[in-house]
Structures are given as C-alpha cells and as structure tokens.
Amino acid sequence: MSAFPLLKVGTLAVKTLAKPLANVLKEQAKDHPELRRICVNIGQFVNEKSVKVNMRFLGHKITEVKPLNESAAVSKGADILGEGFIYSVSVATVLVEVYRREKENQVKKRAHGKS
C-alpha cells in the first residue's frame, strides 16, 4: 500500500477529529478557570469590535460598547477558539499536502536528472 492513500486517510481522520476536539475545548472553557478567563477576554474583544464595525457600517458613531455578561462572553470566546482550532487543523493539513507534493516533485526532478 502506498503512502498516498494512507496520507489521505490520515488527513481525513484529523479533520474528522478536529470538530469533537473543538467541542471539548468549548466545554472545558466553562469549568477551567484560566481557559474561562481567556474565553471571556476573547468574547468581549470580538463583541466590542463587531458592534463597532456594524455601527460604523450603518453610519452611527459609537464610543462605548456595553460588555457581554460573563456566560455570553465565555460562549462567544469558546466558539471563536473552537473555530480557530478547526481552521488551524485545516490549514495545517493543506500545508502538509503542499510540502509532500513539493518533496515528491523534487524527487521526480532528481530522478530525471533535472537537478
């Protein structure tokens, strides 16, 4: 069996596991104090920026954004972290595939004497 199908199966497995791992991260954010604090900070930051951008887009000037309550901020921050994790896994698998193909092309060039 060649490495190509195994790599494809491995990539599919990693992508399949990323979503449940992201969900575990979201659940842990509710219980783990340090992760909860990080999620609150991310949630508040994203909320503030998105409200300001939306209001500017609608033509309103806004100087202060009312902060989210803690549970909403944790939820929003955990969602952002989870989606960031899934996105990172996807980017990493693409980069591995590009690297693998580049190495494969280099081997083919050497084999044909085009060094």
Side-chain angles (χ1 to χ4, degrees):
M1 184 177 248
S2 71
F4 182 71
L6 290 177
L7 183 66
K8 291 291 185 185
V9 169
T11 299
L12 182 61
V14 167
K15 286 182 179 180
T16 303
L17 291 174
K19 186 79 171 168
L21 288 175
N23 291 336
V24 168
L25 178 69
K26 290 176 188 179
E27 286 300 314
Q28 288 293 316
K30 295 175 185 172
D31 300 327
H32 191 275
E34 186 65 22
L35 186 56
R36 184 177 181 86
R37 183 187 60 77
I38 290 168
C39 287
V40 166
N41 290 338
I42 291 171
Q44 295 293 7
F45 176 80
V46 168
N47 178 61
E48 179 183 344
K49 297 306 176 196
S50 65
V51 167
K52 285 184 177 181
V53 166
N54 288 335
M55 289 304 191
R56 284 187 191 142
F57 203 59
L58 295 172
H60 302 288
K61 285 196 173 187
I62 188 166
T63 56
E64 191 174 323
V65 176
K66 182 180 174 188
L68 295 171
N69 64 48
E70 187 175 3
S71 64
V74 168
S75 179
K76 184 170 269 206
D79 286 343
I80 297 292
L81 278 178
E83 294 302 319
F85 176 73
I86 292 169
Y87 180 75
S88 298
V89 168
S90 297
V91 168
T93 56
V94 168
L95 290 176
V96 166
E97 182 67 20
V98 168
Y99 176 77
R100 186 193 65 79
R101 286 191 183 179
E102 184 61 32
K103 289 288 264 184
E104 197 174 86
N105 288 340
Q106 288 175 358
V107 169
K108 284 180 184 178
K109 283 181 182 179
R110 282 191 209 124
H112 293 299
K114 294 182 180 178
S115 222

